[in-house]
Amino acid sequence: QVQLVESGGGLVQAGGSLRLSCAASGRTFSSSVMGWFRQAPGKEREFVASISWTGGSTYYRVSVKGRFTISRDNAKNTLYLQMNSLKPEDTAVYYCAASGRTMVGPLAPTNIGSWGQGTQVTVSS
């Protein structure tokens, strides 16, 4: 089991940037496909990005591709999400997630073994 704690959320104007971090504890972090999800008020939780255990492969939802970058530092047990050119529609609670999958790709909530508590990202227009 991996324990996850997100940080780095906040309020930013449209066009701005934020960097989310996810500190992980547990033996399996470095061997897990990790991902970020988000959930806006009144909407279902949706996949944002995933990364292989080596960090060499990544996958993004179409609406964030080219604007968001997922990365990881296994030596620090930390997952990151760099978010640039933010839009009001990016406003949501962002969740770090540890998957039981072995291949990177789009993740579903049913693929997730551990969730963080979430961090709020608000983009004003």
Side-chain angles (χ1 to χ4, degrees), residues 15 21 64 77 88:
S21 298
V64 307
N77 275 9

Side-chain angles (χ1 to χ4, degrees), residues 65-85:
K65 199 169 184 180
R67 300 188 297 121
F68 290 11
T69 302
I70 187 171
S71 62
R72 67 191 297 167
D73 186 336
N74 287 342
K76 296 182 178 179
N77 275 9
T78 304
L79 179 73
Y80 303 99
L81 186 68
Q82 177 67 43
M83 304 185 295
N84 299 328
S85 301

